[in-house]
Amino acid sequence: MSPAEAFGLIATFFYALAALLVYRQFRSQSAPSRLLLLAPATVAVAAHAVSLYFLLVTDRGLMLGLLPVASCMAAAVTGMVVVSSLYRPFQWIGALVFPFSALIVPASLWIHTGYVRPMEHGIGLHVLLSILAYSVLVISACQAILLLIQHRQLKDGHIRGVMRVFPPIQVMESMLFDTIWLGEALLTVAILFGFLYVDDLFAQHLVHKTVLTLVSWVIFAVLLGGRHLKGWRGRTAIRFTLSGFLVLLVAFFGSQLVLEVILHRT
């Protein structure tokens, strides 16, 4: 067993444990122990990071592609959730993030997709900033989903289970827009680095990704402008957030799926 596989199995186990603990808390009507939820997630992220190092770093460059980059994003998202949860109640996002991470780690290890690419400094920064931007906006989308559930329960007049200990909607919305501002800023810088350092950003195999990423950037920019000028909130904010994230999801994962799985191109 390779080091990547050994540490990947450790990460998978602790991600699954963290997910189980979160879902058990969903049946509770009392505030959970934050340490109980975050301790296994922290171990999982650490093991995942070591696994990624052995998986991605090669003598010829970095292993990129659909599953390797998805695994990087899963580690980044989980790490951000763990750190953010020390200051604000982001730990509930683990209900969506931990199971995904538990699935994507073994998939990236044993389903061989992707390609090796030499990393110049500019391209490397573009890739890193893109992963960080996508990861922050994943948290925004998860927060929007939880906020949507909270809105629906309030509308129905029946606050059930773990929703009883969720922060007030105003706090949830504030957390949502904090992540959107950060994600949009990172996405802006990533796009700028792409225009500066990618030789042909509108090449045939990049044009869809580029255009869809720009569309997503516009959606988030409109949302942030509407929030600042007109006080947009509630379902409007949720719809814009999920729409922008879905476009961004298609921009990378949709295009990579077509290139690698259907067209067998890199």
Side-chain angles (χ1 to χ4, degrees), residues 59-211:
D59 295 335
R60 296 178 292 124
L62 286 181
M63 174 68 72
L64 299 177
L66 182 65
L67 291 178
V69 173
S71 187
C72 284
M73 290 181 185
V77 170
T78 310
M80 290 177 187
V81 168
V82 169
V83 173
S84 301
S85 297
L86 299 175
Y87 306 96
R88 304 189 76 178
F90 277 105
Q91 64 270 21
W92 296 120
I93 294 175
L96 302 174
V97 172
F98 298 155
F100 174 78
S101 298
L103 293 173
I104 201 65
V105 172
S108 65
L109 290 172
W110 287 295
I111 300 176
H112 298 289
T113 66
Y115 51 92
V116 175
R117 178 168 181 174
M119 283 287 106
E120 300 174 356
H121 292 302
I123 298 295
L125 282 173
H126 169 66
V127 171
L128 174 62
L129 288 166
S130 297
I131 289 175
L132 291 176
Y134 278 50
S135 300
V136 173
L137 292 171
V138 166
I139 295 176
S140 300
C142 293
Q143 183 73 7
I145 292 171
L146 295 178
L147 191 57
L148 178 62
I149 296 171
Q150 195 174 26
H151 269 280
R152 286 182 174 174
Q153 289 198 3
L154 283 173
K155 183 178 179 181
D156 294 340
H158 300 288
I159 306 299
R160 298 180 295 275
V162 75
M163 287 294 169
R164 295 177 182 272
V165 296
F166 263 42
I169 280 184
Q170 293 83 356
V171 175
M172 294 283 284
E173 288 182 345
S174 174
M175 293 164 60
L176 172 65
F177 278 98
D178 286 346
T179 58
I180 293 174
W181 274 110
L182 178 58
E184 181 77 338
L186 288 169
L187 188 60
T188 302
V189 180
I191 291 171
L192 291 176
F193 269 88
F195 279 109
L196 287 174
Y197 291 104
V198 177
D199 292 334
D200 188 356
L201 202 62
F202 288 94
Q204 184 177 359
H205 63 292
L206 290 176
V207 63
H208 298 94
K209 185 185 299 184
T210 304
V211 171

Side-chain angles (χ1 to χ4, degrees), residues 233-253:
R233 56 188 298 272
R235 292 183 180 274
T236 300
I238 292 169
R239 283 194 293 267
F240 268 88
T241 302
L242 294 179
S243 297
F245 173 72
L246 287 174
V247 173
L248 198 61
L249 193 66
V250 174
F252 178 77
F253 289 105

Side-chain angles (χ1 to χ4, degrees), residues 21 32-42 85-86 91:
L21 291 173
S33 167
R34 188 174 299 186
L35 178 63
L36 180 66
L37 296 180
L38 297 183
T42 302
S85 297
L86 299 175
Q91 64 270 21

